[in-house]
Amino acid sequence: MTSTYETLLSRLQVAFDAVEPGADPVLRTSDRGDYQANGVMALAKRLGRVPREVADEIVSVAQLGDVADVEIAGPGFLNLTLRPSFLDEQLRTLALDPRLGIVAATSPKRVIIDYSAPNVAKEMHVGHLRSTVIGDALARMNCFAGNDVIARNHVGDWGTPFGMLIEHLLDLGEDQAAAALSIGDLDGFYKEARVKFDADDAFKERSRARVVALQSGDAETLRLWHILVNQSIAYFSEVYSKLDVTLKESDVVGESAYNEMLEGVVRDLDELGLLVESEGALCVFPPGFQNREGDPLPLIVRKSDDGFGYAASDLAALRDRVATLHGDELLYVVGAPQAQHLEMVFAVARLANWLPDTVRCEQVVFGNVLGPDHKMLKSRGGETVKLVRLVDEAIERAYVILDDRGTELDGDEKFHLAEQIARAAIKYADLSTERQHDYVFDLDRMIAFEGDTGPYLQYAHARLRSIFRRLGEAWEPGDAHFALEAKAERELALGLVALPEAFTSSLSSLQPHRLCTYLFDVAQRFTSFYDACPVLSAEGALREERLALCDLTARTLQLGLSVLGIEAPERM
Ligand code: ARG
């Protein structure tokens, strides 16, 4: 189907084209009319004509009669008010479309999303929250848009710390170590190893020898390393299911997966004449990157000790994603502190011709999660906060809220609902913040049923569903018309027809907060509507027409939340 916005745009475009081919009508939603086209002024200026005359010409050419009434305002704004018959028709078509007007891509892109990426034998902490939540939303939105999504969980599973971790594992005994790791006390394990490494020279020596054995592919060492990796991955999977995140174990393609390709990366960069030796390390100096003193910055591909750096595996991964996986879009949902690193990786990949201009390659940067003191969120002891801890606290809080609201649920049902509310609170607070911005992790605000929160949207949805429960009989959109008489009805309807554009702009800009803003707006429009317009106590056709609005609103909220990775419970 053609969305309301597109219908208006195409009609206007014909008229603008007639005045000047390709002129942009600059169409947007407006609080003056339903939509406003602001393109006349710029067009008139270019042609040296009087704007009002150009506006008259456009209005007389544009075939808008069956769609909207047009009024020319001010210097030449076109205010468009939709004809009720057209709005009704649009809504009826939407109601019969399970995709609610969001058209699936006809030529799907392959989108490779690098997200979450925790480190083996280390706890998932609040720093991984945003990457995980934003990455998951982008994965789901791309899937829904009909694209072919490949998730890449680029876990940190290689490097010098593994020497001491393996030795510690041996000291504990394999079974004992596996048990310690399986309860999710990754940080405890890591810290114990670190303490011994710093205090015990013999341990330090063993650890160093173990790193060498690991790098040279010693089978027994690799077996022990696998225990660490597998335990951690099992633990990460538990965290993902707790967060209701779609990442699977098969999406884990960690740093070590690229080991075999690293020699090739170095060789090829060398053949291209891009490698420079600097203080014993092999580096590339991509043009345009300088430190504070103005000296060129190196991307270190091989360190002076012959080990490969973090950059090498990122280069190998990028090359693999283009050449082997044939990605059309490479997204890196990675925090702002790594912006320079990634920009340099992308720059080197371009220099080496591994990254053609036809591939969109972007870091999806995000800001920090702050504590109440507006500093980086820390636990009371000043340590990083475990991700599971945050979710558990939110679940506990949701329990209290459900009790306060006098829920009739108990047992598993109550727990499940508390989980859904907790996840919605955390994810929505994250996604609704403009991603480059920091935000304060304030559970009370995030989990409130009022305000711009996940639970508010869930609650609006649940209220809608309860209308249909109380109706007591199955209701299908069928050939129902939509109630559009009252102001609040019209406003709600106008919100509903805008879903396709909200979704598309959110996805193409990689800004999930745009879809959040849209959904919050729809929920508010629904709240106003529900205050002003009784549904079940309305009579005859009006009741059906209001039910049609309610049904489409519920489905809009449900779909919008689901592509963001937020569940919409039937009752709350
Ligand atoms: N493991 C890293 C960390 O925990 C993030 C990796 C990001 N992804 C990448 N391709 N470099 O900070």
Side-chain angles (χ1 to χ4, degrees):
M1 70 171 289
T2 311
S3 75
T4 302
Y5 177 87
E6 279 170 8
T7 306
L8 289 174
L9 184 64
S10 66
R11 305 275 179 106
L12 283 167
Q13 193 63 60
V14 173
F16 273 76
D17 283 346
V19 179
E20 185 195 67
D24 183 359
V26 194
L27 179 67
R28 50 196 47 152
T29 52
S30 148
D31 29 304
R32 303 285 164 111
D34 299 336
Y35 291 81
Q36 189 170 64
N38 298 342
V40 169
M41 279 74 72
L43 174 61
K45 198 169 173 199
R46 274 199 304 278
L47 300 177
R49 292 180 51 187
V50 181
R52 294 288 293 209
E53 280 175 27
V54 176
D56 280 332
E57 191 178 327
I58 283 174
V59 171
S60 67
V61 175
Q63 310 248 318
L64 285 162
D66 56 331
V67 170
D69 292 318
V70 194
E71 179 207 63
I72 304 174
F77 296 106
L78 305 181
N79 288 336
L80 305 159
T81 305
L82 300 184
R83 287 275 166 91
S85 55
F86 171 68
L87 186 52
D88 181 48
E89 208 181 284
Q90 288 296 104
L91 292 160
R92 284 160 50 103
T93 318
L94 276 183
L96 296 176
D97 177 7
R99 300 182 55 90
L100 304 184
I102 300 172
V103 182
T106 40
S107 42
K109 285 181 293 186
R110 174 159 288 178
V111 184
I112 301 175
I113 313 181
D114 183 320
Y115 67 105
S116 194
N119 300 312
V120 163
K122 278 197 188 168
E123 197 60 52
M124 280 187 80
H125 56 79
V126 57
H128 297 110
L129 174 67
R130 301 208 69 188
S131 175
T132 305
V133 169
I134 296 169
D136 187 54
L138 293 177
R140 289 178 197 251
M141 288 170 79
N142 265 298
C143 261
F144 191 72
N147 291 326
D148 175 18
V149 176
I150 298 182
R152 276 291 181 258
N153 192 355
H154 194 86
V155 300
D157 60 359
W158 202 252
T160 41
F162 283 91
M164 74 177 190
L165 291 168
I166 292 171
E167 286 304 317
H168 182 50
L169 178 137
L170 284 173
D171 288 356
L172 283 182
E174 286 174 37
D175 294 344
Q176 195 64 29
L181 291 168
S182 69
I183 57 162
D185 186 19
L186 299 180
D187 278 350
F189 186 90
Y190 196 97
K191 266 186 218 145
E192 284 161 25
R194 183 87 233 172
V195 167
K196 280 198 282 182
F197 187 87
D198 290 337
D200 177 346
D201 283 339
F203 183 81
K204 195 181 253 174
E205 254 336 289
R206 269 158 59 201
S207 300
R208 291 216 170 112
R210 190 57 79 175
V211 176
V212 175
L214 181 64
Q215 280 168 348
S216 61
D218 171 62
E220 173 62 5
T221 304
L222 281 174
R223 189 185 66 80
L224 297 167
W225 170 78
H226 269 296
I227 297 177
L228 288 174
V229 173
N230 292 344
Q231 288 296 341
S232 297
I233 290 174
Y235 172 70
F236 299 152
S237 293
E238 277 174 41
V239 180
Y240 297 142
S241 78
K242 210 174 183 115
L243 274 171
D244 187 26
V245 158
T246 52
L247 275 173
K248 303 180 296 296
E249 296 204 359
S250 55
D251 299 325
V252 175
V253 182
E255 290 171 22
S256 68
Y258 302 98
N259 284 350
E260 303 278 283
M261 305 175 201
L262 302 180
E263 290 289 351
V265 165
V266 172
R267 189 191 56 231
D268 293 349
L269 289 174
D270 195 25
E271 276 171 16
L272 290 162
L274 292 168
L275 276 190
V276 177
E277 204 180 314
S278 169
E279 293 167 37
L282 294 177
C283 312
V284 183
F285 288 89
F289 293 91
Q290 289 168 344
N291 65 14
R292 281 207 203 96
E293 287 73 47
D295 301 325
L297 269 181
L299 185 71
I300 301 173
V301 185
R302 170 179 257 160
K303 297 181 285 185
S304 53
D305 65 0
D306 270 5
F308 294 98
Y310 183 58
S313 47
D314 266 323
L315 281 170
L318 189 151
R319 203 180 176 189
D320 184 58
R321 289 168 195 183
V322 177
T324 311
L325 299 176
H326 306 292
D328 300 304
E329 237 173 69
L330 313 185
L331 305 178
Y332 290 78
V333 191
V334 176
Q338 293 191 44
Q340 187 173 60
H341 162 76
L342 284 176
E343 269 173 43
M344 291 178 76
V345 167
F346 301 162
V348 170
R350 284 200 189 88
L351 282 177
N353 264 328
W354 297 340
L355 179 56
D357 290 340
T358 47
V359 173
R360 176 182 186 180
C361 178
E362 239 176 86
Q363 180 186 8
V364 182
V365 265
F366 50 82
N368 296 315
V369 182
L370 307 177
D373 55 359
H374 290 250
K375 301 214 178 89
M376 296 287 266
L377 184 65
K378 289 267 155 65
S379 72
R380 234 171 273 150
E383 290 160 28
T384 50
V385 185
K386 280 191 182 192
L387 203 44
V388 273
R389 191 67 224 117
L390 287 184
V391 184
D392 285 338
E393 262 176 46
I395 296 174
E396 281 161 30
R397 204 73 68 93
Y399 247 93
V400 175
I401 293 179
L402 286 176
D403 283 336
D404 288 349
R405 298 177 70 91
T407 179
E408 285 160 14
L409 299 177
D410 57 17
D412 285 351
E413 277 187 330
K414 183 174 170 189
F415 182 70
H416 185 54
L417 181 57
E419 278 188 314
Q420 291 178 314
I421 294 172
R423 291 196 276 255
I426 292 178
K427 289 185 178 184
Y428 185 84
D430 198 293
L431 295 169
S432 63
T433 306
E434 201 167 326
R435 89 177 141 60
Q436 288 89 337
H437 293 180
D438 298 342
Y439 70 90
V440 173
F441 195 94
D442 173 356
L443 204 45
D444 287 331
R445 176 192 64 83
M446 288 159 52
I447 209 163
F449 278 39
E450 294 89 38
D452 187 5
T453 69
Y456 170 73
L457 293 180
Q458 287 182 317
Y459 184 56
H461 171 265
R463 279 173 86 192
L464 281 154
R465 294 293 184 207
S466 93
I467 296 172
F468 290 93
R469 274 196 300 278
R470 277 179 285 143
L471 181 66
E473 56 198 70
W475 193 92
E476 292 284 334
D479 41 30
H481 286 273
F482 283 73
L484 298 168
E485 280 291 319
K487 188 164 179 286
E489 292 166 341
R490 239 189 102 83
E491 303 265 282
L492 177 56
L494 287 168
L496 298 175
V497 296
L499 174 66
E501 280 72 34
F503 176 83
T504 307
S505 97
S506 188
L507 180 55
S508 61
S509 61
L510 307 173
Q511 297 281 11
H513 82 269
R514 293 195 182 170
L515 185 55
C516 294
T517 305
Y518 166 80
L519 293 173
F520 180 54
D521 179 57
V522 166
Q524 283 182 307
R525 287 173 194 240
F526 163 67
T527 306
S528 308
F529 157 81
Y530 205 41
D531 284 346
C533 306
V535 178
L536 290 177
S537 59
E539 312 241 316
L542 184 60
R543 189 170 97 149
E544 283 301 298
E545 291 170 11
R546 288 187 174 161
L547 283 169
L549 271 176
C550 290
D551 170 68
L552 189 55
T553 307
R555 287 161 59 203
T556 300
L557 291 174
Q558 196 269 328
L559 177 69
L561 289 172
S562 90
V563 296
L564 290 168
I566 299 173
E567 300 142 289
E570 293 289 309
R571 51 180 93 216
M572 275 172 86

Short mmCIF file of all heavy atoms in Angstrom, two decimals, residues 269 273-279 281-291 295-301 344 347-348 351:
data_model
loop_
_atom_site.label_atom_id
_atom_site.label_comp_id
_atom_site.label_asym_id
_atom_site.label_seq_id
_atom_site.Cartn_x
_atom_site.Cartn_y
_atom_site.Cartn_z
N LEU A 269 48.86 -5.85 3.54
CA LEU A 269 49.13 -4.42 3.79
C LEU A 269 50.57 -4.10 3.39
O LEU A 269 50.86 -3.02 2.85
CB LEU A 269 48.91 -4.09 5.27
CG LEU A 269 47.46 -4.07 5.76
CD1 LEU A 269 47.41 -3.88 7.28
CD2 LEU A 269 46.65 -2.96 5.07
N GLY A 273 52.30 -1.67 0.31
CA GLY A 273 53.23 -0.61 0.70
C GLY A 273 52.67 0.29 1.79
O GLY A 273 53.09 1.43 1.96
N LEU A 274 51.73 -0.23 2.55
CA LEU A 274 51.10 0.61 3.57
C LEU A 274 51.74 0.46 4.95
O LEU A 274 51.51 1.27 5.84
CB LEU A 274 49.60 0.27 3.67
CG LEU A 274 48.76 0.65 2.46
CD1 LEU A 274 47.38 0.01 2.55
CD2 LEU A 274 48.63 2.17 2.34
N LEU A 275 52.54 -0.60 5.13
CA LEU A 275 53.10 -0.87 6.46
C LEU A 275 54.37 -0.07 6.71
O LEU A 275 55.23 0.04 5.85
CB LEU A 275 53.42 -2.36 6.61
CG LEU A 275 52.30 -3.30 7.01
CD1 LEU A 275 52.89 -4.65 7.35
CD2 LEU A 275 51.51 -2.75 8.20
N VAL A 276 54.47 0.45 7.91
CA VAL A 276 55.65 1.21 8.32
C VAL A 276 56.11 0.62 9.65
O VAL A 276 55.28 0.32 10.51
CB VAL A 276 55.28 2.70 8.53
CG1 VAL A 276 56.49 3.48 9.01
CG2 VAL A 276 54.73 3.30 7.24
N GLU A 277 57.42 0.44 9.81
CA GLU A 277 57.90 -0.04 11.09
C GLU A 277 58.14 1.15 11.99
O GLU A 277 58.75 2.14 11.60
CB GLU A 277 59.19 -0.85 10.92
CG GLU A 277 59.37 -1.79 12.09
CD GLU A 277 60.64 -2.61 11.99
OE1 GLU A 277 60.91 -3.15 10.92
OE2 GLU A 277 61.34 -2.67 13.02
N SER A 278 57.61 1.08 13.18
CA SER A 278 57.76 2.20 14.11
C SER A 278 57.98 1.63 15.51
O SER A 278 57.11 0.92 16.03
CB SER A 278 56.50 3.07 14.04
OG SER A 278 56.49 3.99 15.09
N GLU A 279 59.12 1.92 16.07
CA GLU A 279 59.51 1.38 17.39
C GLU A 279 59.25 -0.12 17.48
O GLU A 279 58.67 -0.61 18.45
CB GLU A 279 58.77 2.13 18.50
CG GLU A 279 59.21 3.59 18.61
CD GLU A 279 58.26 4.40 19.48
OE1 GLU A 279 57.77 3.86 20.49
OE2 GLU A 279 58.02 5.57 19.15
N ALA A 281 57.15 -1.94 16.02
CA ALA A 281 55.80 -2.39 15.67
C ALA A 281 55.53 -2.12 14.19
O ALA A 281 56.12 -1.22 13.61
CB ALA A 281 54.78 -1.66 16.53
N LEU A 282 54.62 -2.91 13.63
CA LEU A 282 54.21 -2.67 12.25
C LEU A 282 52.90 -1.88 12.25
O LEU A 282 51.92 -2.31 12.84
CB LEU A 282 54.03 -3.99 11.51
CG LEU A 282 55.30 -4.81 11.29
CD1 LEU A 282 54.98 -6.13 10.60
CD2 LEU A 282 56.33 -4.02 10.47
N CYS A 283 52.95 -0.73 11.58
CA CYS A 283 51.81 0.18 11.67
C CYS A 283 51.40 0.67 10.29
O CYS A 283 52.18 0.67 9.36
CB CYS A 283 52.18 1.43 12.46
SG CYS A 283 53.00 1.11 14.01
N VAL A 284 50.15 1.16 10.23
CA VAL A 284 49.71 1.93 9.07
C VAL A 284 49.39 3.33 9.60
O VAL A 284 48.82 3.47 10.68
CB VAL A 284 48.45 1.32 8.42
CG1 VAL A 284 48.07 2.10 7.17
CG2 VAL A 284 48.67 -0.15 8.08
N PHE A 285 49.81 4.34 8.84
CA PHE A 285 49.49 5.72 9.22
C PHE A 285 48.45 6.25 8.24
O PHE A 285 48.82 6.82 7.22
CB PHE A 285 50.75 6.59 9.18
CG PHE A 285 51.72 6.30 10.29
CD1 PHE A 285 52.71 5.33 10.14
CD2 PHE A 285 51.65 7.00 11.50
CE1 PHE A 285 53.61 5.06 11.17
CE2 PHE A 285 52.56 6.74 12.53
CZ PHE A 285 53.53 5.76 12.37
N PRO A 286 47.16 6.06 8.51
CA PRO A 286 46.17 6.57 7.56
C PRO A 286 46.17 8.10 7.59
O PRO A 286 46.24 8.69 8.67
CB PRO A 286 44.85 6.01 8.07
CG PRO A 286 45.07 5.68 9.51
CD PRO A 286 46.54 5.41 9.69
N PRO A 287 46.14 8.74 6.43
CA PRO A 287 46.18 10.20 6.39
C PRO A 287 45.00 10.80 7.18
O PRO A 287 43.92 10.22 7.22
CB PRO A 287 46.02 10.54 4.91
CG PRO A 287 46.25 9.28 4.16
CD PRO A 287 46.03 8.14 5.09
N GLY A 288 45.25 11.93 7.81
CA GLY A 288 44.16 12.64 8.49
C GLY A 288 44.03 12.33 9.97
O GLY A 288 43.17 12.89 10.64
N PHE A 289 44.85 11.43 10.50
CA PHE A 289 44.77 11.13 11.93
C PHE A 289 46.03 11.60 12.63
O PHE A 289 47.13 11.19 12.29
CB PHE A 289 44.55 9.63 12.16
CG PHE A 289 43.22 9.15 11.67
CD1 PHE A 289 43.08 8.68 10.37
CD2 PHE A 289 42.10 9.22 12.48
CE1 PHE A 289 41.85 8.26 9.90
CE2 PHE A 289 40.87 8.79 12.02
CZ PHE A 289 40.74 8.30 10.72
N GLN A 290 45.84 12.49 13.60
CA GLN A 290 46.98 13.06 14.31
C GLN A 290 46.72 13.06 15.80
O GLN A 290 45.58 13.10 16.24
CB GLN A 290 47.18 14.51 13.85
CG GLN A 290 47.70 14.59 12.45
CD GLN A 290 47.62 15.99 11.88
OE1 GLN A 290 46.92 16.85 12.41
NE2 GLN A 290 48.34 16.22 10.80
N ASN A 291 47.80 13.04 16.57
CA ASN A 291 47.64 13.20 18.02
C ASN A 291 47.65 14.69 18.37
O ASN A 291 47.69 15.56 17.47
CB ASN A 291 48.72 12.42 18.78
CG ASN A 291 50.12 12.96 18.51
OD1 ASN A 291 50.28 14.07 17.97
ND2 ASN A 291 51.13 12.19 18.87
N ASP A 295 51.38 14.99 15.46
CA ASP A 295 52.11 13.90 14.82
C ASP A 295 51.12 12.88 14.26
O ASP A 295 50.07 12.66 14.86
CB ASP A 295 53.03 13.19 15.84
CG ASP A 295 54.03 14.15 16.46
OD1 ASP A 295 54.48 15.06 15.73
OD2 ASP A 295 54.33 14.01 17.66
N PRO A 296 51.49 12.25 13.15
CA PRO A 296 50.60 11.23 12.57
C PRO A 296 50.37 10.08 13.55
O PRO A 296 51.29 9.69 14.28
CB PRO A 296 51.35 10.73 11.33
CG PRO A 296 52.54 11.58 11.17
CD PRO A 296 52.73 12.42 12.38
N LEU A 297 49.14 9.57 13.58
CA LEU A 297 48.80 8.48 14.50
C LEU A 297 48.91 7.14 13.80
O LEU A 297 48.39 6.98 12.69
CB LEU A 297 47.36 8.64 14.99
CG LEU A 297 47.10 9.42 16.25
CD1 LEU A 297 45.60 9.43 16.52
CD2 LEU A 297 47.83 8.79 17.44
N PRO A 298 49.52 6.16 14.46
CA PRO A 298 49.60 4.83 13.85
C PRO A 298 48.42 3.94 14.24
O PRO A 298 47.92 4.03 15.35
CB PRO A 298 50.89 4.27 14.47
CG PRO A 298 50.95 4.90 15.83
CD PRO A 298 50.25 6.23 15.75
N LEU A 299 48.02 3.10 13.30
CA LEU A 299 47.16 1.98 13.67
C LEU A 299 48.11 0.78 13.76
O LEU A 299 48.71 0.37 12.77
CB LEU A 299 46.09 1.74 12.60
CG LEU A 299 45.07 0.66 12.97
CD1 LEU A 299 44.13 1.14 14.07
CD2 LEU A 299 44.24 0.22 11.77
N ILE A 300 48.24 0.26 14.97
CA ILE A 300 49.23 -0.80 15.18
C ILE A 300 48.65 -2.14 14.77
O ILE A 300 47.64 -2.59 15.34
CB ILE A 300 49.67 -0.84 16.67
CG1 ILE A 300 50.27 0.52 17.04
CG2 ILE A 300 50.68 -1.98 16.90
CD1 ILE A 300 50.59 0.67 18.51
N VAL A 301 49.25 -2.75 13.77
CA VAL A 301 48.73 -4.01 13.26
C VAL A 301 49.45 -5.18 13.93
O VAL A 301 48.85 -6.18 14.27
CB VAL A 301 48.88 -4.07 11.73
CG1 VAL A 301 48.22 -5.33 11.19
CG2 VAL A 301 48.24 -2.85 11.09
N MET A 344 39.95 4.72 12.22
CA MET A 344 41.25 4.38 11.64
C MET A 344 41.19 3.02 10.95
O MET A 344 41.76 2.84 9.86
CB MET A 344 42.35 4.41 12.70
CG MET A 344 42.62 5.83 13.17
SD MET A 344 43.87 5.92 14.47
CE MET A 344 45.36 5.69 13.53
N ALA A 347 39.49 3.61 7.74
CA ALA A 347 40.35 4.35 6.81
C ALA A 347 41.40 3.42 6.19
O ALA A 347 41.65 3.47 4.98
CB ALA A 347 41.02 5.52 7.54
N VAL A 348 41.98 2.57 7.02
CA VAL A 348 42.99 1.64 6.50
C VAL A 348 42.34 0.65 5.53
O VAL A 348 42.89 0.36 4.46
CB VAL A 348 43.71 0.90 7.67
CG1 VAL A 348 44.58 -0.23 7.14
CG2 VAL A 348 44.54 1.89 8.49
N LEU A 351 41.99 2.37 2.31
CA LEU A 351 43.29 2.50 1.65
C LEU A 351 43.68 1.19 0.96
O LEU A 351 44.24 1.18 -0.13
CB LEU A 351 44.39 2.82 2.67
CG LEU A 351 44.50 4.25 3.19
CD1 LEU A 351 45.60 4.33 4.25
CD2 LEU A 351 44.80 5.21 2.05
#
